[in-house]
Amino acid sequence: MLDNGLAIVTPTYNRADLLTRLYDSLKKQTNKNFVWYIVDDGSVDKTSEVVENLKRENQVKIVYTKKTNGGKHTAINVALNLIEEAFLVIVDSDDFLKENAVEIILNDLNRISDNEFCGIGYLKEDTNGKITGRKYTQDQKIDTFVNERYNNNTYGDKCEVFKTEILKKFPFPEIEGENFVSESTVWCKMSGEYKMLFLNKAIYICEYQDGGLSDGVHKRLFKNPKGAALCYKELSKKGFKFKIRVKYTIAYIVYSLAAGYTFKEIKQNHLENRILINLLYLPAKLYYKKLAKKYAGV
């Protein structure tokens, strides 16, 4: 039986200089019923030394583990094998939480006790207090991740809290030679079975860093084309609005081509969408050539 409480998961890579800021926000939490899981994705800076110093303060319960570099998604998989708490939230090492974030989360969790729920969606804001992207279409809305985030075009980074036992059923795919798989790949796949509670409360503060995951998106996807194709395969399935399926079918074809798949393999890998693939293959191939020339030097 999982313990009550919250796991705060921080995958990190060479962010020793920023971890202390996140730690300070956790140290100030009005509710301390959480464990901070730091998964060091092969850092070569002083991350391990910084974490040891923080642990010695004994202000926050910290579980630290280091792994070979493989990308944020692989670090999340490692964390899932360690977590004993019933709920988790991912907080990047260059971000931090408002001082009452844990208290808000723990107070809201009784609202998703039913088995149909996988988690809660909150808002993020930048360091100037501006909400990232759009607010949810309705406060306290109950819907699937796909409907609220994609079909309703609620764009921008958000903060999601998930039930640990459910997320463990949907591990991130790990692809040899690649180090990036978008979180949307898993969140959308999980969405098919579960609903979420969406709350227009900002509990998370983000500050994007040069070289972070939001930096140089197209270049990153061309370096990780199989992972990108998996993501866009998920985003072009039934359940999404037709115009979204068209958009992401093109993206699926583009990154499948970047991964070296043939036309036949592209269809076989996504049989549900083979009609759209047939219709969109030629324009997608032209778009691939344009993007590849710009971002992959092909």
Side-chain angles (χ1 to χ4, degrees), residues 7-11 37-39 63 65 67 72-85 88 90 164 168:
I8 298 175
V9 178
T10 299
Y37 291 84
I38 303 172
V39 182
V63 176
T65 187
K67 59 181 284 297
K72 178 181 177 179
H73 63 296
T74 64
I76 294 173
N77 282 346
V78 168
L80 287 173
N81 289 325
L82 299 173
I83 293 170
E84 297 180 350
E85 290 68 39
L88 69 91
I90 298 166
T164 306
K168 285 184 176 185

Side-chain angles (χ1 to χ4, degrees), residues 172-190:
F172 281 88
E174 298 189 15
I175 302 165
E176 187 175 355
E178 298 193 5
N179 65 5
F180 177 71
V181 173
S182 170
E183 292 172 13
S184 292
T185 310
V186 170
W187 299 177
C188 290
K189 187 174 184 179
M190 188 165 52

Side-chain angles (χ1 to χ4, degrees), residues 14-74:
N14 289 345
R15 289 284 188 249
D17 57 331
L18 291 170
L19 278 171
T20 302
R21 183 176 64 175
L22 172 52
Y23 169 75
D24 286 340
S25 79
L26 299 182
K27 189 168 59 172
K28 296 174 183 176
Q29 288 299 308
T30 54
N31 187 316
K32 296 289 181 62
N33 189 14
F34 66 88
V35 178
W36 188 20
Y37 291 84
I38 303 172
V39 182
D40 185 343
D41 190 35
S43 296
V44 294
D45 62 2
K46 296 183 178 180
T47 292
S48 60
E49 295 175 35
V50 169
V51 173
E52 285 304 313
N53 288 333
L54 299 181
K55 289 173 74 173
R56 276 194 287 270
E57 289 190 13
N58 201 30
Q59 296 292 309
V60 172
K61 185 175 181 181
I62 299 173
V63 176
Y64 172 78
T65 187
K66 187 167 184 177
K67 59 181 284 297
T68 303
N69 181 258
K72 178 181 177 179
H73 63 296
T74 64

Side-chain angles (χ1 to χ4, degrees), residues 135-292:
K135 289 184 177 181
Y136 298 118
T137 52
Q138 180 183 331
D139 188 29
Q140 303 186 53
K141 185 175 184 181
I142 296 173
D143 206 339
T144 66
F145 182 87
V146 165
N147 277 337
E148 179 57 26
R149 294 299 310 277
Y150 284 89
N151 291 337
N152 290 329
N153 193 29
T154 308
Y155 61 84
D157 281 352
K158 301 291 183 280
C159 173
E160 290 91 14
V161 175
F162 291 115
K163 291 180 178 177
T164 306
E165 64 180 354
I166 292 178
L167 191 54
K168 285 184 176 185
K169 298 177 183 178
F170 298 89
F172 281 88
E174 298 189 15
I175 302 165
E176 187 175 355
E178 298 193 5
N179 65 5
F180 177 71
V181 173
S182 170
E183 292 172 13
S184 292
T185 310
V186 170
W187 299 177
C188 290
K189 187 174 184 179
M190 188 165 52
S191 174
E193 297 182 39
Y194 299 100
K195 294 180 180 178
M196 295 184 68
L197 171 66
F198 296 97
L199 301 173
N200 281 325
K201 301 176 185 177
I203 64 170
Y204 185 118
I205 301 173
C206 54
E207 184 175 62
Y208 300 112
Q209 304 292 321
D210 291 340
L213 288 180
S214 58
D215 190 37
V217 173
H218 286 296
K219 287 183 179 179
R220 180 173 297 106
L221 295 182
F222 268 96
K223 288 180 179 178
N224 301 276
K226 291 182 180 179
L230 279 176
C231 178
Y232 291 123
K233 174 183 175 180
E234 206 62 46
L235 298 179
S236 58
K237 288 183 175 180
K238 294 174 182 176
F240 291 84
K241 287 182 177 178
F242 182 70
K243 66 179 181 179
I244 296 174
R245 293 187 66 198
V246 169
K247 174 183 177 180
Y248 289 127
T249 296
I250 291 172
Y252 165 73
I253 295 169
V254 165
Y255 290 104
S256 293
L257 289 169
Y261 295 126
T262 65
F263 178 50
K264 182 178 180 181
E265 288 171 328
I266 291 170
K267 288 195 295 183
Q268 287 178 335
N269 291 341
H270 198 357
L271 290 174
E272 174 188 305
N273 225 27
R274 60 188 181 278
I275 294 175
L276 271 179
I277 291 170
N278 281 330
L279 292 171
L280 297 170
Y281 181 75
L282 288 179
K285 188 173 183 179
L286 291 173
Y287 187 47
Y288 158 72
K289 289 181 178 179
K290 179 181 178 180
L291 288 178

Side-chain angles (χ1 to χ4, degrees), residues 95 122-126 130-132 157-159 204 206:
D95 299 334
Y122 293 97
L123 300 178
K124 292 183 180 182
E125 63 183 36
D126 64 22
K130 182 180 178 181
I131 298 297
T132 59
D157 281 352
K158 301 291 183 280
C159 173
Y204 185 118
C206 54

